[in-house]
Amino acid sequence: MADKNNKGNGSPLLQLIDLHTSFTTDNGEVQAVNGVNFTLNEGTTLGIVGESGSGKSVTAYSIMQILEKNGHITSGQILYRGQDITHYTEKQMQDFRGKNVSIIFQDPMTSLNPVYTIGNQISEAILIHSDKTKEEAKAATIKMLELVGINDPEKRFKQYPHELSGGMRQRIMIAMALVSEPDILIADEPTTALDVTIQAQILELMQELQKKLNMAIIIVTHDLGVIAQMADEIVVMYGGRICERGTADHIFYSPCHEYTKGLLRSIPSVENMKKKLVPIAGSPINLLNMPKGCAFCTRCDNAMKICLEEVPPELKMPDGHFASCWMNVKNGNYVSEVPGNE
Amino acid sequence: MSNENAKCLVEVQDLQEHFPIKTGFFKKTMLKAVDGVSFKINPGETLGLVGESGCGKTTVGRTLLRLYKPTGGKVFFDGTEVTDRNMQTYRKEMQMVFQDPYSSLDPRMTVEDIIGEPLDVHKLYSGKGERRDKILELMSLVGLNAEHATRYVHEFSGGQRQRIGIARALAVNPRFIVCDEPVSALDVSIQAQVINMFEELQEKLGVAYLFIAHDLLVVHHISDRIAVMYLGRIVETADADELNENPMHPYTLSLLSAVPIPDPVTARAQKRIILEGDVPSPLNMPSGCAFRTRCRYATEQCARECPKLTDRGNGHMVACWNH
Ligand SMILES: Nc1ncnc2c1ncn2[C@@H]1O[C@H](COP(=O)(O)OP(=O)(O)OP(=O)(O)O)[C@@H](O)[C@H]1O
Ligand SMILES: Nc1ncnc2c1ncn2[C@@H]1O[C@H](COP(=O)(O)OP(=O)(O)OP(=O)(O)O)[C@@H](O)[C@H]1O
Ligand SMILES: [Mg+2]
Ligand SMILES: [Mg+2]
């Protein structure tokens, strides 16, 4: 029997190596993902947090290769079980998306078709991914609707997306993503639209299915409470790059990047109820006009000369997590430099 | 009547919104999305509205602003009853930031035009230059770069779109804003910035808010009072601190216990009150108290009669037979 706390078998399922994704716009090339590296192990949960616009969704869409027309992966690799999927044909990708990976989008309304009933849409997804009959697909749909906590599934089956509340639409999306029993579930803000009780229920459902199917999860969210509960590993993004990555405990209790520290300070808590909140000073990054050095340097209280000039290397910290901040070089409190991460 | 309302800015009395839903070829059932909701909001005050997904929060906001025609109840603004006929006068006073920044912003318009549209409608500038200045000022207020002005909505991330929606609502200097999940798509730093911005506008201009959100820490932070809804009705309302320190309704208790705590060690040890039973359908409401099917304290009386909100001291109102 495997140790309960030791999720999955830990072997790498998905590896992003120096991924670059950009968009061609009238104002120039927008480098939305600028050299991202991480590994997702089987059966584990990786959380991505970071500033709005930092490239979290684009990273997820790159894995699925569902970027908008003006977007493209310009370099880097995405290895799924060792195979680089960036060279897959559209046909292979369709298969990959149908069987191996599912995504739950941030915005349920744009991914649900307004002219079909929700029952219709989920059954359709089942029919595409399996050889079930229509009746079986309907039964499976109703079971899945129940599983994600939709009341009166028979009646709801016949309703259209606009007739449902935001949270219900989100649960429909989750049901649709799970019917194909994928190895990887990418959840982009899966519970933002949900109240905390249903959120707790959905997160527990995801964890249960993870155990049952040995599914790996990439969860993108702004809710640090959700991340604290769900993630085995956390990746913190800023301006298209990863600024820090490590276990949940590393990131929450010993952050080594100034952006991560600022993020943690901004959370409303019971202690700061009556006080003004403390956002990170300065304005969000403009991808068309990136600083030469560290992406965060213009907003960092401790920025030094080198920060303005050179992109910080990724450093391995004594506790085993990784951070890209020149402060750690200056203080000499790191173990080694991670090669090839420019 | 209108005298009594003079002090508060917005008063909602027994608001109802019932949607007809097709449940068969010939059958229709009424879905009671909002079923008798009352509250008052003073100038410069924030009422937080929380509750289960689907309990009717957005519908309260939309009905209050007459984006849906109410099927019952009254809304007063500044002491005058708002009707279909005089709503036009109040359009500028009452604005809404929508929950879903994707479907509420026109994809064919540039950011500049989206924010400029309400300025055009209400003729709030004297020349092209002033229009542009106002737009840029609003954009910087919500933390968008000036370079973003000529871009289209689909080129923005979720959080950026939400800020466009906020800038648009603020454009006409409203006195009351329904904020439907205005910060849930934002990262915590920008969230903090936007919450501070909402609070500053309130201090400076006395704007009042109905603030709908799922993040109870955020709601607690920004609200003076909080109302908790369950299936179309308010089940508890109190001052924000009081509600958090001394919650009484069993639904409120489970809600507070489920708040995800941004601290891994505490999160792992957190004891959530998981609600038993299914979420009842608003198409088929249980008799008596709507929460009784999931309530561990439910008695026979709860099935017979629906409890009314009663004052438990200091304006802490609870609708529960047992608490
Ligand atoms: N189709 C597009 N054309 C041009 N730029 C784009 C396009 N899609 C995304 N971008 C830009 O890429 C950057 C990254 O966007 P992304 O959606 O990944 O952000 P995010 O981290 O998911 O943010 P959020 O938390 O707000 O959802 C943003 O600055 C965005 O403006
Ligand atoms: N236009 C409509 N037609 C029919 N039913 C509707 C309509 N809009 C909302 N409803 C129903 O009314 C109920 C309340 O929905 P509402 O969107 O107000 O919930 P909410 O509390 O805002 O939920 P969430 O937190 O998920 O956004 C739901 O059962 C929903 O399905
Ligand atoms: Mg996103
Ligand atoms: Mg809503």
Side-chain angles (χ1 to χ4, degrees):
Chain A
M1 271 284 9
D3 182 354
K4 251 195 179 160
N5 295 319
N6 189 3
K7 292 208 259 171
N9 61 16
S11 63
L13 187 61
L14 189 77
Q15 272 176 291
L16 269 58
I17 302 169
D18 200 26
L19 184 72
H20 285 76
T21 302
S22 65
F23 294 95
T24 313
T25 70
D26 294 346
N27 301 321
E29 199 69 5
V30 174
Q31 193 68 59
V33 175
N34 198 353
V36 160
N37 294 282
F38 65 72
T39 300
L40 174 69
N41 292 323
E42 234 170 87
T44 64
T45 302
L46 176 96
I48 307 183
V49 297
E51 177 158 84
S52 174
S54 63
K56 304 182 296 295
S57 297
V58 173
T59 301
Y61 299 169
S62 301
I63 297 170
M64 300 288 285
Q65 292 186 34
I66 46 169
L67 296 162
E68 290 213 29
K69 276 193 212 74
N70 63 334
H72 23 257
I73 297 175
T74 51
S75 66
Q77 291 178 304
I78 300 173
L79 305 181
Y80 171 72
R81 298 189 187 277
Q83 276 206 43
D84 188 356
I85 63 167
T86 58
H87 300 304
Y88 272 15
T89 60
E90 182 48 33
K91 174 92 196 28
Q92 282 175 303
M93 259 333 274
Q94 266 172 18
D95 219 44
F96 175 69
R97 286 192 289 257
K99 298 212 175 82
N100 308 117
V101 195
S102 281
I103 185 161
I104 307 170
F105 290 101
Q106 199 165 3
D107 52 327
M109 234 10 206
T110 55
S111 23
L112 289 172
N113 192 326
V115 302
Y116 293 109
T117 64
I118 54 153
N120 219 315
Q121 298 187 48
I122 301 174
S123 320
E124 199 54 40
I126 296 176
L127 290 172
I128 291 172
H129 301 144
S130 70
D131 40 21
K132 285 199 167 74
T133 65
K134 257 196 152 151
E135 276 69 47
E136 287 168 341
K138 180 167 182 185
T141 301
I142 288 179
K143 210 172 132 224
M144 190 47 86
L145 288 176
E146 246 163 29
L147 199 63
V148 296
I150 298 280
N151 54 55
D152 262 350
E154 272 96 1
K155 275 185 198 154
R156 296 290 187 187
F157 192 94
K158 301 193 200 96
Q159 284 193 289
Y160 292 89
H162 74 267
E163 295 176 331
L164 303 178
S165 78
M168 284 182 208
R169 282 180 214 145
Q170 196 60 359
R171 279 179 282 163
I172 302 297
M173 285 286 307
I174 294 172
M176 267 173 79
L178 292 177
V179 285
S180 61
E181 306 203 342
D183 303 334
I184 304 176
L185 177 69
I186 301 179
D188 191 356
E189 299 281 357
T191 56
T192 327
L194 304 178
D195 68 274
V196 289
T197 48
I198 291 174
Q199 169 169 282
Q201 212 175 305
I202 296 276
L203 296 178
E204 256 159 50
L205 171 75
M206 282 168 58
Q207 283 171 322
E208 240 168 66
L209 289 166
Q210 171 166 61
K211 270 195 215 127
K212 216 172 96 192
L213 310 172
N214 194 28
M215 179 172 76
I217 299 176
I218 297 181
I219 183 168
V220 178
T221 176
H222 289 308
D223 191 325
L224 293 167
V226 170
I227 286 283
Q229 183 192 337
M230 293 288 287
D232 301 303
E233 302 237 10
I234 297 175
V235 160
V236 185
M237 287 188 71
Y238 189 86
R241 299 195 186 111
I242 290 180
C243 54
E244 185 157 11
R245 62 193 169 108
T247 64
D249 288 17
H250 290 146
I251 302 296
F252 278 91
Y253 303 133
S254 32
C256 291
H257 193 287
E258 294 303 306
Y259 173 67
T260 316
K261 292 180 197 168
L263 203 61
L264 294 169
R265 268 196 303 270
S266 320
I267 312 175
S269 69
V270 184
E271 290 81 53
N272 67 13
M273 260 325 144
K274 290 280 161 298
K275 299 184 201 125
K276 272 245 163 338
L277 294 171
V278 198
I280 298 168
S283 49
I285 198 148
N286 177 358
L287 289 175
L288 287 168
N289 187 12
M290 286 275 278
K292 212 167 120 222
C294 170
F296 188 62
C297 70
T298 55
R299 303 174 70 184
C300 180
D301 291 336
N302 299 316
M304 306 171 287
K305 194 155 165 273
I306 189 160
C307 305
L308 310 183
E309 276 151 19
E310 269 182 70
V311 177
E314 188 166 58
L315 302 170
K316 184 167 184 178
M317 305 308 291
D319 61 5
H321 89 284
F322 300 91
S324 307
C325 174
W326 284 115
M327 288 286 287
N328 301 314
V329 178
K330 184 185 161 213
N331 299 333
N333 60 343
Y334 66 99
V335 183
S336 59
E337 207 170 288
V338 182
N341 200 36
E342 278 298 68
Chain B
M1 188 87 255
S2 64
N3 243 359
E4 205 184 299
N5 291 312
K7 196 176 89 87
C8 69
L9 186 67
V10 175
E11 175 165 9
V12 171
Q13 286 177 359
D14 201 24
L15 194 69
Q16 283 183 4
E17 186 61 61
H18 296 179
F19 295 111
I21 295 287
K22 239 180 149 163
T23 46
F25 272 114
F26 302 107
K27 273 207 323 225
K28 266 194 185 156
T29 313
M30 288 317 250
L31 189 153
K32 297 179 177 173
V34 177
D35 199 25
V37 161
S38 306
F39 54 78
K40 292 178 185 177
I41 305 175
N42 293 327
E45 194 186 32
T46 302
L47 175 68
L49 187 60
V50 300
E52 190 147 52
S53 164
C55 72
K57 303 177 298 294
T58 297
T59 308
V60 166
R62 287 180 161 263
T63 311
L64 170 58
L65 299 185
R66 280 191 125 67
L67 299 173
Y68 293 149
K69 196 176 161 62
T71 53
K74 289 179 175 160
V75 174
F76 296 86
F77 186 83
D78 228 359
T80 314
E81 186 174 349
V82 181
T83 60
D84 282 342
R85 283 176 54 208
N86 66 11
M87 186 57 210
Q88 227 31 51
T89 1
Y90 295 110
R91 275 274 171 258
K92 194 174 146 309
E93 309 280 5
M94 300 198 264
Q95 287 288 313
M96 182 152 182
V97 176
F98 292 94
Q99 178 168 14
D100 186 346
Y102 293 85
S103 55
S104 60
L105 300 176
D106 188 338
R108 288 157 306 186
M109 284 164 77
T110 61
V111 172
E112 186 167 14
D113 290 334
I114 288 173
I115 301 172
E117 191 182 52
L119 296 174
D120 301 339
V121 170
H122 298 283
K123 307 195 172 54
L124 295 177
Y125 53 85
S126 48
K128 272 228 164 86
E130 194 187 342
R131 179 177 187 270
R132 176 137 184 107
D133 290 347
K134 281 213 156 132
I135 292 170
L136 291 181
E137 188 190 321
L138 286 159
M139 286 180 65
S140 85
L141 192 66
V142 297
L144 290 168
N145 296 318
E147 288 94 344
H148 288 151
T150 54
R151 283 217 243 158
Y152 291 90
V153 182
H154 72 91
E155 295 175 36
F156 288 91
S157 75
Q160 290 165 333
R161 290 179 210 207
Q162 190 61 286
R163 282 180 272 160
I164 299 168
I166 295 172
R168 180 185 158 95
L170 293 176
V172 295
N173 294 324
R175 282 200 281 162
F176 173 63
I177 307 179
V178 174
C179 303
D180 193 2
E181 297 280 355
V183 294
S184 58
L186 307 178
D187 67 78
V188 286
S189 170
I190 294 172
Q191 177 179 298
Q193 194 185 316
V194 169
I195 290 170
N196 287 350
M197 176 192 86
F198 277 132
E199 287 177 347
E200 276 155 27
L201 283 169
Q202 188 159 59
E203 280 154 29
K204 262 196 288 193
L205 309 168
V207 186
Y209 303 111
L210 177 65
F211 196 94
I212 302 170
H214 287 310
D215 187 329
L216 294 168
L217 284 170
V218 168
V219 172
H220 185 186
H221 192 277
I222 199 166
S223 304
D224 299 297
R225 277 180 308 126
I226 298 176
V228 181
M229 260 182 101
Y230 190 81
L231 273 190
R233 299 199 183 111
I234 291 177
V235 295
E236 180 160 11
T237 166
D239 284 347
D241 289 341
E242 164 71 10
L243 190 92
N244 276 275
E245 280 154 29
N246 187 21
M248 289 188 204
H249 196 283
Y251 176 62
T252 313
L253 287 170
S254 78
L255 203 60
L256 290 173
S257 82
V259 176
I261 298 165
D263 180 292
V265 170
T266 325
R268 277 175 221 135
Q270 197 174 356
K271 290 221 174 7
R272 298 183 186 82
I273 305 173
I274 300 290
L275 292 175
E276 302 278 321
D278 287 336
V279 187
S281 160
L283 290 168
N284 185 14
M285 295 268 258
S287 65
C289 171
F291 187 60
R292 73 171 165 89
T293 54
R294 302 165 80 193
C295 180
R296 50 182 160 161
Y297 307 103
T299 62
E300 215 188 298
Q301 187 183 23
C302 305
R304 244 184 300 123
E305 256 181 289
C306 182
K308 294 213 157 43
L309 278 171
T310 55
D311 198 333
R312 312 297 164 93
N314 294 325
H316 189 153
M317 312 276 283
V318 185
C320 179
W321 292 120
N322 303 313
H323 287 84

